[in-house]
Amino acid sequence: MSPASTAVFPWEERPANCNEIIWRYSHNPVIKPSQVPCGNSIFNSAIIPFRDGYAGVFRVDNRVRQMRLHRGFSKDAVHWEIDEDPTVFVPSGKDTAPFQYGYDPRVCTIEGRHYVSWCNGYHGPTIGLAWTDDFEEFHQLENAFLPYNRNGVLFPRKIGERYAMISRPSDTGHTAFGDIFYSESPDLCFWGRHRHVMGPAAEGWDATKIGGGPVPIETSEGWLLFYHGVLTSCNGFVYSFGVALLDLDEPWNVIARARSYLMAPSEDYERVGDVPNVVFPCAALHDKDTGRIALYYGAADTVVGLAFCKMDEILNFVKTA
Ligand code: BMA
């Protein structure tokens, strides 16, 4: 979703000595745990254009080491005011208690309403959904899927008159497998017509498991999907991210998928932290007029990084890399 024309778009030009398709913000990490008093770490987080600036839902692991979602606002998508207290999601079902536990949020605007999808706990990890119009009250819907599932990412418009979401069925732990599936819903409650989108590659950076990243971006060539991929090294998992292009009407059909990763952990704040060697994107801002994309990613499960790329170069990369 493009920001309001009056909003500042977060952007830095590619450094003169850089030949990469994607380049990092020179003041990374853009968001640090010290921005919330209780923060042990702030990482896989979602932001969207909101009014004349930006709003966000941040993954904060607190000093009890509980996983919580906190709301924040910013004028420029770089400097953030993040709530000290976790966001309260008010359940719509009368049998459910308010959820506190949650991680890896995405925020998606559909027909003017903002939806949060995240991983919550209901007899194991699965996909929670909530909506808000004002970022003051958050109304929780039914969980989208049975456990175990992670990385639920909504599409920003209905496809074939139905809401659409990708997700990644998983297990209770540090899942050693994972394919991306597509599901649709007439009402954001009942999800079905599940389709396989893509799985891990036969070899390389995304050979262990993959999962959707930011909300897909609609282009004339298809849905642009940034996704994370995991390699199992002799020292554990390495999280990188890449890009694929999905059919506009049947997003379970993959038009193109870059074989090379777009970004792998290489900076100190990506290689060293609570979980080393992780870059995990959860949000992308796109300025349609200039083709600029600003990507927000969790780094080493500790901080948030910001990186920049350009739509025409990414569309070329996804077909050729
Ligand atoms: C995944 C999720 C992410 C995390 C990643 C690396 O399974 O739990 O929140 O960033 O592992 O630890």
Side-chain angles (χ1 to χ4, degrees), residues 145 149 155 165-170 177-184 192-202 206-212 225 227 244-247 249-255 257:
F145 302 116
N149 205 320
F155 284 70
M165 176 157 48
I166 50 170
S167 69
R168 209 283 306 281
S170 66
F177 60 88
D179 294 30
I180 297 177
F181 286 82
Y182 176 90
S183 309
E184 55 184 48
R193 292 170 55 117
H194 312 291
R195 299 282 182 273
H196 185 260
V197 179
M198 57 187 195
D206 52 352
T208 296
K209 55 179 172 175
I210 58 173
L225 176 70
Y227 68 97
L245 199 57
L246 312 181
D247 185 79
D249 301 320
E250 298 182 340
W252 53 92
N253 288 324
V254 180
I255 297 169
R257 176 177 177 180

Side-chain angles (χ1 to χ4, degrees), residues 52-266:
D52 59 351
Y54 299 88
V57 176
F58 296 86
R59 170 173 175 175
V60 176
D61 287 10
N62 63 28
R63 293 182 187 193
V64 186
R65 297 307 301 258
Q66 296 162 314
M67 298 184 277
R68 297 287 185 260
L69 303 181
H70 290 230
R71 176 195 68 170
F73 295 107
S74 173
K75 285 279 173 228
D76 60 7
V78 169
H79 303 92
W80 288 89
E81 297 285 333
I82 300 173
D83 287 351
E84 199 171 327
D85 295 320
T87 302
V88 175
F89 292 88
V90 179
S92 43
K94 61 179 183 325
D95 298 331
T96 47
F99 274 84
Q100 285 261 288
Y101 168 86
Y103 58 96
D104 297 357
R106 275 70 164 186
V107 185
C108 182
T109 305
I110 308 172
E111 296 168 5
R113 175 162 280 181
H114 312 295
Y115 294 89
V116 187
S117 59
W118 75 101
C119 190
N120 69 19
Y122 179 74
H123 302 271
T126 189
I127 308 301
L129 279 179
W131 63 268
T132 181
D133 287 332
D134 53 11
F135 276 85
E136 298 296 333
E137 286 185 3
F138 291 79
H139 308 268
Q140 183 156 356
L141 302 166
E142 294 290 336
N143 282 348
F145 302 116
L146 290 169
Y148 312 110
N149 205 320
R150 293 183 170 99
N151 298 301
V153 185
L154 286 163
F155 284 70
R157 67 166 171 82
K158 289 179 183 168
I159 298 172
E161 298 180 3
R162 291 201 170 88
Y163 296 98
M165 176 157 48
I166 50 170
S167 69
R168 209 283 306 281
S170 66
D171 65 14
T172 48
H174 304 294
T175 317
F177 60 88
D179 294 30
I180 297 177
F181 286 82
Y182 176 90
S183 309
E184 55 184 48
S185 170
D187 55 4
L188 290 165
C189 180
F190 296 97
W191 292 88
R193 292 170 55 117
H194 312 291
R195 299 282 182 273
H196 185 260
V197 179
M198 57 187 195
E203 58 180 355
W205 65 272
D206 52 352
T208 296
K209 55 179 172 175
I210 58 173
V215 169
I217 302 174
E218 186 166 10
T219 77
S220 57
E221 298 189 41
W223 293 102
L224 186 71
L225 176 70
F226 295 99
Y227 68 97
H228 65 260
V230 179
L231 169 148
T232 305
S233 79
C234 57
N235 206 27
F237 287 159
V238 177
Y239 280 73
S240 307
F241 64 85
V243 64
L245 199 57
L246 312 181
D247 185 79
L248 282 179
D249 301 320
E250 298 182 340
W252 53 92
N253 288 324
V254 180
I255 297 169
R257 176 177 177 180
R259 272 314 304 128
S260 298
Y261 61 70
L262 194 57
M263 182 190 282
S266 64

